[in-house]
Amino acid sequence: MPILEDVKEYVQRATGLRRPGNKEAPDLARPRKPQTARFKDDGLIPNHPRWPLVIYRGAVDLGDGHDPAAVMEDLFEANGWGETWRDGIYDYVHYHSRIHEVLGIARGRGRVRFGGSKGRIFKLKAGDVAILPAGTGHQCLFADEDFLVVGAYPRVGTYDECTQVEDRPKALKTIPKVPVPRKDPVYGAGGLLSKLWKKPK
């Protein structure tokens, strides 16, 4: 699926076909209250020491003729989150210690565990968006055949993938230093992310 989606994305970006564009995409965001969850360090997965996972349920209107993945990409990019990709979520637990991540569900349904083996399982479906602060463990436990996720990252930070206990010492130092993103990936400067993820005093 990733290869096919990569080809579709390339054609869509070259032609503008079935893409809302960065100007129209923010209009496809629906007002939603955030669902939040905090996770403790479980000995393998640090999670974030201060900031919660944020989930917006049904936050993106995907039903007006645009490609759902393109809607997510254009919305995230309009709000300063880039380096987008189309794929699923890995079936092993992992986290990023030097960057935050947003996951937009473009198609299908999946069960994703956040926070590591002692975390919580969430059912996610098309239109949902999850925003993970650095350190948050995530792992797909089950997904429909057509399950498609669009991921993106804020401008500040460096992608890494941590899976082993050996990653912890460095991760514990870098996770708290990843700054608050300038904009909420769904609602932009007016979004709640900056309030939910407050800078340390």
Side-chain angles (χ1 to χ4, degrees):
M1 181 172 64
I3 294 174
L4 175 60
E5 290 297 332
D6 287 346
V7 172
K8 285 171 61 177
E9 180 187 358
Y10 175 82
V11 172
Q12 289 168 354
R13 288 189 184 277
T15 64
L17 189 67
R18 299 194 68 200
R19 299 193 75 91
N22 290 5
K23 290 185 179 180
E24 184 184 335
D27 294 335
L28 300 175
R30 301 167 170 164
R32 292 292 187 266
K33 290 183 179 179
Q35 177 181 1
T36 62
R38 296 178 189 275
F39 307 107
K40 294 180 179 179
D41 185 331
D42 69 2
L44 174 64
I45 306 300
N47 294 302
H48 199 282
R50 295 185 306 273
W51 301 338
L53 166 75
V54 178
I55 297 177
Y56 294 123
R57 299 283 186 181
V60 185
D61 180 0
L62 301 173
D64 63 352
H66 299 303
D67 180 284
V71 172
M72 292 287 187
E73 289 164 349
D74 287 352
L75 177 61
F76 297 158
E77 289 168 5
N79 290 318
W81 291 61
E83 301 296 323
T84 59
W85 50 263
R86 301 182 183 191
D87 204 342
I89 298 172
Y90 294 140
D91 61 2
Y92 55 87
V93 66
H94 63 288
Y95 64 94
H96 312 296
S97 72
R98 296 190 289 164
I99 201 162
H100 309 305
E101 184 174 39
V102 61
L103 303 173
I105 313 304
R107 269 198 328 256
R109 296 170 182 263
R111 288 171 53 238
V112 181
R113 182 163 57 203
F114 293 105
S117 61
K118 296 178 182 177
R120 287 177 55 191
I121 298 171
F122 293 81
K123 294 179 181 178
L124 301 178
K125 63 181 181 179
D128 293 346
V129 176
I131 312 170
L132 290 63
T136 303
H138 47 299
Q139 173 186 18
C140 186
L141 302 179
F142 171 81
D144 292 344
E145 283 188 19
D146 66 340
F147 188 61
L148 180 63
V149 178
V150 171
Y153 308 93
R155 291 193 178 118
V156 178
T158 303
Y159 180 87
D160 66 342
E161 184 180 312
C162 303
T163 60
Q164 305 295 324
V165 69
E166 291 79 13
D167 298 322
R168 283 177 52 83
K170 188 174 181 181
L172 291 171
K173 294 177 182 178
T174 57
I175 289 167
K177 295 178 182 177
V178 182
V180 180
R182 292 183 63 190
K183 294 182 180 180
D184 185 302
V186 179
Y187 303 110
L192 292 174
L193 194 63
S194 61
K195 294 180 180 178
L196 296 168
W197 293 2
K198 294 179 181 178
K199 294 179 182 178
K201 294 180 180 179

